Amino acid sequence: MSRRKRMLEELDQDIRDHIERETQDNIDRGMPPEEARYAAMRKFGNVTRVKEDTREVWSFVWLEQLWQDIHFGLRMLGKSPGFAAVAILTLALGIGANTAIFSLIDAVMLRSLPVENPSQLVLLQWGARNAPNIHGYMTSGDCPMNLRPGAANPTGCSFSEPMFREIAQANVFSATAAFANSGRLNLTGNGPATVINGQLVSGDFFRTMGLKAAAGRLFDAADDTPSVAPVAVLNYGYWQSAFGGSRDVVGHTIELNSVPFTIIGIAEQRFTGITPGSDYDVWLPLSDAQRITDPMRWQNRSGDASNWWLTIIGRLKPGTQVAPAQAVVSGLFGNEMLHGSVPLFHAGDPVGPPMPGQGAPAGGGVQLRREMLSGEAPAPAGGKGPTGVPAPSQSGGNKPFILPAPQGAPPADRQSAPEMSSGPKTLSTVADSPQVTLVPAQTGLTGARTRYSNPLYVLMLAVGIILMIACANVAGLILARAAARQKEMAVRLALGAGRARVVRQLLTESVMLSVLGGVLGILFAYWGAHAIISFVSSNQTRPLGFATGVDLRVLGFTVAVSLLTGILFGIAPTFSSARVDLTPALKEGERRAPSPGHAGGKWFSIGNALVVTQVALAIVVLVGAGLLVRTLQNLRSIDVGFDSHNVLIFGIDPTLIGYKGPQVDAFYRDLQGRLSEIPGVKSASYSMGPLLSGGLMITMFHWPGAPQDQSSEADVLPVGPNFFETLHIPFLSGRGFDASDFHLSASNSEATPTSAPTPVIVNQVFVEKYLGKEYPLGKRFGQSAGDANGPASPGYEIIGLVRDAKYSDLRREIHPMMYMPQSAGGASFELRTATDPQAILPGVREVVAQVNTNLPLFDVKTESEQIDRLLFQERLVARLSGFFGLLALVLACVGLYGLLSYEVSRRTREIGIRMALGARPESVLKLVLQQGVVLAIIGAAVGIGVALGVTRYLASMLYNVHANDPVTMIAVAILLMLVALAACYVPARRAMRVDPMVALRYE
């Protein structure tokens, strides 16, 4: 301000000097002094105008005017506290909802990978016309993949370890890293035994990521060799929670699956995993994988080119383009696929028998086993899991998927099996066009993003509509307020204010409202985002894995939304006010001049259009919310086929501490007996995975009478004794499993099975599909002769028939299902209790500790809680969309109420005249209600039309309800009409009570 004052003083001095010099010149020419000064002033012109023109070119003037506009705007808002409070609160709700959802989208979808220079990292993704001729495939859901049997143009991002070593040695990248999931790890040596999540990484992993150690050191290439003692790097958060952040932990020894590991360092705080949504507790070198799992499962994986299990990341060299690097890597990959030797395996033939002791379905013919997919199921990394392929709804995160080679008949352009059996086999043929694409790691690594992306985008659309409704609402309020300020605007224009200056002043007031709403909205956003994160975290066993919170990018979004909002809702009222007609507006008491919101006529006014817009948008949000709420209700009302109440489930895996084969089975029998004796436990059993956990296993077999090259498939679940009695799945015929059945199943899981078929219990859908009206008990199927891939298989024999029950997911239709005796591997126990299942949990832990103190429980919950977790996405979206729908309804009705209240106020004199001339109060009530109801009907009709086009994008999220469901739309329209009628009634009733004498004197 001192600079401004100095410049003004200098300007005054310059003007005085100029006038004095001109005056002196006039005196020198003979003019009297007074006349000379008058002539000088006349020649110079209007001093004030010169000052203003000069000040216009000064840079600080616009700041001065802005400050004047802000100061004046604050005074005007202070004179109307009710209007300001309603407007700011309305905008805060809209801006806060948008900021909350955007903060989640930013954390899940937009935030950069937590590494150094993530733009330099590329993900290797392979593709081909036909599936590669491999016999093992594992993925942790790090990237999208398509490797289902018979899939056209399959893709994936898992590679063999020899392929990784070859690419790393080719010096294509400045650094190359590979990683894979280790599965569950049983940790001892730091208090009570616990189950943690780990990741296997190559020695150059942390160098490739550009990460530093928070304490100690990270891996280097020397640590990733079998001859070196096992070492581990801890996650920063896990270090803080499990070890209290003590730096003394470096050099400390812990045991993972009974193998000692030395902790050499702590990863920096920002890094929980390279894949979005991942949250690993510990990182281990690739070379230690065989130490922590069953060696039988690995089968020399480090040197097997046909076993793909590693995700590869490369860091581009400075100045290197993607295309040249991609050409080199693709050439290496194609050479291995087309010219490498892969004995025993070729396209179209079975990929080999199940590995002994892996918990695979015993007794089958052609075995295709799809493993437990969900994190709720025992992970195969424990050494005993079956192999598998992803279900249709593949979830990302920390859980591995293990796939066998794709099955199916060989393509016509490939050699037939007999032709290929005479010599070495290759992974692909030239016609398959195998190649590698380098994808930016930021977009290629999707992880858990795929799980949350659709719900977040739907919610973002909903809150965007909420913001539009809020803008329309505030615009309506400003229109009503502008009518009261018509005379003020007319006076300012009459005194010489430019229309542009008036527009700027009014827009400044609008932006001030939105900025104040944005400040309050940040508080709402923080609370809302925290509530959503808490809800999500309470419905999963692992941390969310995303760094959420309000950061600079979110604040920038809020600022941008606030400014745009202020301009959006302020444009229409501002320009309407600036176009005011001066003559009628300046007449004292004039009531016939149309208000800015009604300049276009009764039914085409801006105010009416805003109300219709609000109602239409509210209908869209309400219809979407109604469809999602009905979906949740439909899913909750499904008959799951068993009694899910009062059932406690927990996971336990004795293979993690060295139990093998018969020891595992004996352990389960002993533990089952002990658990059954706990007071309050009615029955106890176990299975490879609990029902409705998201886990899924499928086996393929040959059905008698079908063509030899035709395979049939069925869901399969290994279960323990009393499984059906515990879960209340009724038998329709036959019997349950006895001790001899479990012994036979275990024998058939060995390398040399018996000749007796494995007993199985099937469901109703299995009988309907494969047997029809044929008597099922005693039916045998799935026998196969021995070949080069394995010995003869005895197949299965049906010993019982049970009622249909949901297996993996509520949305998935019930498929043919086989239950078979559980043998070896990890398991989940199910306990039927007489009271609250959580009440017996201390007793369960005590019993397990009596058997073995180094065996922790994991995934402990009730069956009802598990179903809720299975539906958490539907519950979250239904709750939020329902809340936003009600908010939209309230805002729309507030807008309708505000318009009618203003109309009643504006037409008070008219209403008084009508009543003075004999109009009945009921007629006045009808007059006001008619306007509100007509606007609501028009808005509802427009909204339903828009909803018909928008809701089809929700189809993938709906269940048992159509996107254009008429019941939902009619119900929403009726609800809105009822609420709108209530909103209209208050101002209508006030109009009905107008006193004619008071109204005629109303100014």
Side-chain angles (χ1 to χ4, degrees):
M1 294 300 292
S2 60
R3 177 171 177 269
R4 172 180 176 275
K5 183 177 181 181
R6 185 176 67 254
M7 292 178 67
L8 289 174
E9 290 175 351
E10 290 175 353
L11 176 62
D12 287 339
Q13 185 62 43
D14 290 342
I15 292 173
R16 286 196 299 271
D17 290 344
H18 180 84
I19 293 175
E20 287 175 0
R21 284 197 300 270
E22 186 66 28
T23 301
Q24 186 60 45
D25 289 344
N26 291 337
I27 292 175
D28 292 343
R29 286 194 292 267
M31 287 187 182
E34 185 176 349
E35 184 179 347
R37 182 170 183 78
Y38 177 75
M41 291 285 294
R42 186 171 54 197
K43 181 178 180 181
F44 184 83
N46 191 319
V47 174
T48 304
R49 180 63 180 269
V50 171
K51 288 183 179 181
E52 290 181 355
D53 291 343
T54 305
R55 290 173 61 237
E56 287 290 337
V57 300
W58 290 351
S59 59
F60 63 80
V61 172
W62 70 272
L63 290 174
E64 178 184 338
Q65 293 177 345
L66 177 62
W67 171 249
Q68 291 174 352
D69 291 342
I70 293 174
H71 183 68
F72 181 77
L74 289 174
R75 282 193 343 192
M76 295 303 296
L77 293 179
K79 290 181 178 180
S80 306
F83 161 79
V86 172
I88 291 172
L89 180 60
T90 300
L91 293 171
L93 290 172
I95 296 173
N98 277 267
T99 303
I101 300 301
F102 177 79
S103 69
L104 300 179
I105 290 180
D106 174 60
V108 175
M109 306 299 298
L110 305 179
R111 199 160 293 182
S112 298
L113 298 176
V115 298
E116 195 71 21
N117 296 323
S119 61
Q120 296 179 353
L121 294 181
V122 291
L123 169 72
L124 275 63
Q125 192 171 59
W126 62 266
R129 292 180 182 174
N130 296 292
N133 185 23
I134 57 177
H135 67 86
Y137 193 97
M138 184 174 81
T139 175
S140 299
D142 299 301
C143 70
M145 57 161 289
N146 177 23
L147 197 59
R148 294 181 178 84
N153 300 315
T155 61
C157 61
S158 292
F159 295 84
S160 67
E161 188 168 345
M163 187 78 258
F164 161 64
R165 302 296 179 191
E166 184 174 357
I167 293 173
Q169 293 170 7
N171 198 30
V172 180
F173 306 106
S174 62
T176 309
F179 55 91
N181 200 304
S182 71
R184 291 194 186 96
L185 299 171
N186 186 59
L187 183 144
T188 54
N190 183 44
T194 57
V195 172
I196 64 174
N197 259 8
Q199 188 177 43
L200 300 166
V201 299
S202 62
D204 281 341
F205 177 80
F206 290 106
R207 183 176 73 87
T208 304
M209 302 302 137
L211 298 172
K212 299 178 182 178
R217 68 175 181 87
L218 304 178
F219 296 145
D220 55 34
D223 295 311
D224 188 19
T225 54
S227 59
V228 176
V231 292
V233 171
L234 297 183
N235 172 295
Y236 187 94
Y238 181 71
W239 171 55
Q240 292 287 331
S241 61
F243 296 91
S246 171
R247 291 183 174 269
D248 296 336
V249 74
V250 177
H252 181 70
T253 298
I254 56 175
E255 287 193 357
L256 300 175
N257 293 359
S258 301
V259 179
F261 280 79
T262 301
I263 300 173
I264 63 170
I266 314 298
E268 58 182 283
Q269 184 174 2
R270 61 172 171 163
F271 187 76
T272 59
I274 183 62
T275 303
S278 61
D279 183 62
Y280 294 101
D281 300 314
V282 65
W283 288 276
L284 310 174
L286 288 178
S287 59
D288 291 329
Q290 197 163 350
R291 291 170 171 165
I292 59 173
T293 57
D294 188 348
M296 289 288 294
R297 177 173 170 264
W298 289 82
Q299 289 292 295
N300 193 30
R301 181 178 291 182
S302 61
D304 188 352
S306 61
N307 202 326
W308 295 9
W309 62 291
L310 293 175
T311 303
I312 303 177
I313 293 287
R315 182 175 289 276
L316 294 173
K317 295 179 179 179
T320 301
Q321 299 298 317
V322 172
Q326 179 173 298
V328 175
V329 174
S330 195
L332 294 172
F333 178 74
N335 184 64
E336 178 64 31
M337 297 292 289
L338 300 177
H339 306 295
S341 178
V342 187
L344 299 181
F345 301 97
H346 55 270
D349 277 359
V351 296
M355 293 302 299
Q358 284 195 337
V366 179
Q367 301 283 345
L368 173 61
R369 301 171 304 280
R370 308 185 185 182
E371 74 113 10
M372 295 291 188
L373 300 175
S374 161
E376 309 303 326
K384 301 298 180 182
T387 55
V389 294
S393 57
Q394 177 179 333
S395 63
N398 298 359
K399 305 304 178 184
F401 308 136
I402 304 180
L403 293 74
Q407 301 290 304
D413 57 349
R414 293 198 182 196
Q415 302 179 59
S416 64
E419 293 172 334
M420 295 184 66
S421 61
S422 59
K425 317 304 183 294
T426 59
L427 295 172
S428 286
T429 68
V430 175
D432 294 330
S433 299
Q435 59 183 345
V436 168
T437 303
L438 301 186
V439 183
Q442 179 68 37
T443 56
L445 292 171
T446 55
R449 284 176 177 171
T450 55
R451 185 182 187 188
Y452 299 107
S453 58
N454 284 343
L456 285 176
Y457 287 142
V458 168
L459 292 174
M460 195 68 204
L461 175 62
V463 295
I465 295 176
I466 293 292
L467 184 59
M468 293 173 66
I469 295 174
C471 289
N473 199 314
V474 176
L477 293 175
I478 293 179
L479 275 175
R481 186 165 176 259
R485 298 180 65 184
Q486 275 188 332
K487 190 170 184 178
E488 173 198 339
M489 296 297 110
V491 170
R492 296 180 67 180
L493 291 170
L495 291 177
R499 293 187 185 272
R501 188 71 177 82
V502 172
V503 167
R504 187 170 61 183
Q505 168 64 50
L506 295 177
L507 280 179
T508 300
E509 293 181 20
S510 298
V511 172
M512 284 174 53
L513 285 174
S514 63
V515 169
L516 293 173
V519 172
L520 183 59
I522 290 177
L523 299 178
F524 289 164
Y526 178 81
W527 171 82
H530 179 74
I532 295 173
I533 294 299
S534 298
F535 178 82
V536 173
S537 299
S538 66
N539 283 275
Q540 54 186 28
T541 56
R542 298 286 305 170
L544 185 58
F546 293 104
T548 58
V550 178
D551 59 7
L552 290 178
R553 182 155 44 188
V554 175
L555 290 177
F557 171 83
T558 304
V559 171
V561 168
S562 300
L563 295 177
L564 290 175
T565 299
I567 295 172
L568 182 64
F569 71 73
I571 284 179
T574 295
F575 282 97
S576 294
S577 297
R579 291 198 306 266
V580 65
D581 190 353
L582 299 184
T583 303
L586 290 173
K587 290 183 179 179
E588 194 71 30
E590 178 63 53
R591 286 291 171 186
R592 289 174 295 180
S595 70
H598 294 75
K602 183 176 181 181
W603 292 108
F604 295 93
S605 67
I606 298 176
N608 287 350
L610 289 173
V611 170
V612 169
T613 301
Q614 292 178 65
V615 173
L617 293 174
I619 284 286
V620 174
V621 178
L622 284 169
V623 168
L627 293 172
L628 294 170
V629 169
R630 288 193 62 189
T631 290
L632 180 61
Q633 291 175 341
N634 291 340
L635 289 170
R636 285 192 179 279
S637 63
I638 289 176
D639 180 7
V640 297
F642 63 93
D643 184 4
S644 61
H645 300 91
N646 290 342
V647 176
L648 179 69
I649 55 178
F650 62 88
I652 194 167
D653 192 351
T655 64
L656 297 179
I657 58 172
Y659 282 72
K660 299 182 183 298
Q663 294 176 317
V664 176
D665 295 336
F667 170 83
Y668 288 149
R669 304 291 189 280
D670 179 40
L671 183 58
Q672 180 187 14
R674 292 171 180 259
L675 293 173
S676 300
E677 296 173 357
I678 296 177
V681 175
K682 299 169 116 181
S683 178
S685 186
Y686 56 89
S687 59
M688 180 171 284
L691 294 176
L692 295 179
S693 65
L696 174 64
M697 186 167 69
I698 299 175
T699 188
M700 298 185 72
F701 52 83
H702 179 259
W703 187 258
Q708 193 61 35
D709 61 349
Q710 178 179 325
S711 295
S712 302
E713 70 174 36
D715 297 350
V716 61
L717 178 64
V719 301
N722 300 326
F723 176 80
F724 303 100
E725 293 80 0
T726 300
L727 291 183
H728 293 174
I729 301 177
F731 273 88
L732 303 180
S733 63
R735 64 175 179 84
F737 298 125
D738 56 27
S740 63
D741 296 325
F742 286 93
H743 177 73
L744 178 58
S745 178
S747 300
N748 285 342
S749 296
E750 299 297 330
T752 305
T754 69
S755 59
T758 300
V760 295
I761 297 171
V762 299
N763 67 351
Q764 294 168 279
V765 174
F766 187 100
V767 173
E768 292 171 2
K769 180 174 181 178
Y770 294 117
L771 291 103
K773 296 184 178 180
E774 183 181 351
Y775 186 64
L777 300 185
K779 179 69 175 180
R780 296 188 178 188
F781 60 96
Q783 301 91 339
S784 65
D787 55 23
N789 290 319
S793 175
Y796 308 99
E797 179 181 359
I798 300 175
I799 66 169
L801 172 64
V802 294
R803 184 190 176 200
D804 291 335
K806 290 283 186 177
Y807 182 4
S808 62
D809 188 82
L810 290 173
R811 289 177 179 265
R812 185 174 182 262
E813 294 297 327
I814 296 177
H815 288 61
M817 178 83 171
M818 295 165 41
Y819 300 92
M820 58 191 310
Q822 164 93 5
S823 177
S828 289
F829 271 78
E830 295 93 4
L831 307 183
R832 169 76 59 184
T833 64
T835 57
D836 180 14
Q838 295 287 356
I840 67 165
L841 188 54
V844 171
R845 295 188 185 277
E846 182 179 350
V847 166
V848 173
Q850 292 173 359
V851 178
N852 193 313
T853 56
N854 288 328
L855 265 179
L857 307 183
F858 51 85
D859 294 340
V860 181
K861 52 190 169 296
T862 67
E863 184 68 46
S864 298
E865 289 174 343
Q866 178 158 273
I867 293 175
D868 281 344
R869 289 184 180 182
L870 196 65
L871 294 175
F872 101 91
Q873 182 171 299
E874 287 83 358
R875 291 162 53 214
L876 174 65
V877 175
R879 287 186 181 186
L880 290 179
S881 62
F883 170 75
F884 293 144
L886 292 177
L887 180 60
L889 178 64
V890 170
L891 290 178
C893 290
V894 166
L896 182 60
Y897 168 81
L899 174 71
L900 294 182
S901 295
Y902 164 67
E903 286 291 318
V904 170
S905 174
R906 189 177 69 89
R907 300 173 64 183
T908 299
R909 186 182 182 92
E910 173 195 340
I911 293 172
I913 293 174
R914 287 175 178 269
M915 298 187 71
L917 295 176
R920 298 178 59 82
E922 294 80 5
S923 301
V924 175
L925 179 68
K926 180 181 178 182
L927 176 69
V928 179
L929 285 179
Q930 182 180 17
Q931 180 182 0
V933 170
V934 169
L935 291 175
I937 291 174
I938 296 174
V942 173
I944 290 176
V946 175
L948 288 172
V950 172
T951 52
R952 69 175 184 270
Y953 297 106
L954 295 177
S956 62
M957 302 176 63
L958 304 180
Y959 179 81
N960 206 22
V961 59
H962 196 272
N964 294 332
D965 180 54
V967 175
T968 302
M969 294 190 178
I970 293 174
V972 165
I974 292 175
L975 172 64
L976 186 137
M977 292 304 302
L978 291 176
V979 177
L981 194 62
C984 297
Y985 180 73
V986 176
R989 193 162 181 264
R990 187 167 67 245
M992 189 174 63
R993 295 183 174 182
V994 169
D995 186 342
M997 296 302 296
V998 174
L1000 290 175
R1001 293 194 300 268
Y1002 180 75
E1003 290 296 337

